[in-house]
Amino acid sequence: MNGLHLIAELHDCRCPARLLSEVDALREACLAVCSVPGLTPVAQAFHQFTTGGVPAGATGAVILAESHLAVHTWPELAAVTLDLYVCNFSQDNSAAARAAFDQLTAAFCPVSVERREILRGQNALPAA
């Protein structure tokens, strides 16, 4: 179960409002970053939240052959949480994970980011 777990909270996001509020925009962004070589989407689930019939945030997960990406948006706070975990069983997927994570973070245009990297497993690979 060796792998890299990237998590972040994005604050004061300055991206287009639809990326924070509409599930289709979130799905498109997530699948685009998961197309980076080294990540293999195998399934997805996304949910639209509404207030009075108006889009009011979204949550989504992309299941990867290498593990998962999960994203949750709070348009009323201009905030996002990201969670990307990749297993490094047969190869080191850390560079692909970091590239996808950085690309998705940039799409939200946050003013501030709280980011953590966690090496998982007994024989976790050293951070690159």
Side-chain angles (χ1 to χ4, degrees):
M1 76 168 161
N2 299 332
L4 176 66
H5 201 158
L6 305 170
I7 57 175
E9 293 83 37
L10 313 181
H11 302 279
D12 199 13
C13 295
R14 307 270 170 104
C15 60
R18 95 180 270 273
L19 185 55
L20 292 173
S21 61
E22 297 178 19
V23 73
D24 291 337
L26 182 64
R27 179 185 297 111
E28 183 180 311
C30 289
L31 292 176
V33 302
C34 287
S35 68
V36 62
L39 300 181
T40 313
V42 296
Q44 58 178 286
F46 286 83
H47 177 74
Q48 176 72 64
F49 295 97
T50 60
T51 299
V54 176
T59 192
V62 179
I63 306 305
L64 304 168
E66 301 77 18
S67 202
H68 72 266
L69 166 69
V71 182
H72 309 279
T73 70
W74 285 268
E76 69 279 12
L77 301 174
V80 175
T81 60
L82 303 178
D83 175 335
L84 177 59
Y85 175 56
V86 293
C87 297
N88 290 324
F89 179 70
S90 61
Q91 68 182 23
D92 184 356
N93 295 303
S94 299
R98 286 186 182 101
F101 201 79
D102 290 346
Q103 186 178 346
L104 190 55
T105 297
F108 288 103
C109 305
V111 170
S112 68
V113 177
E114 297 174 42
R115 176 180 168 149
R116 291 173 280 306
E117 291 194 7
I118 303 163
L119 297 176
R120 298 185 67 179
Q122 286 184 327
N123 301 312
L125 297 168

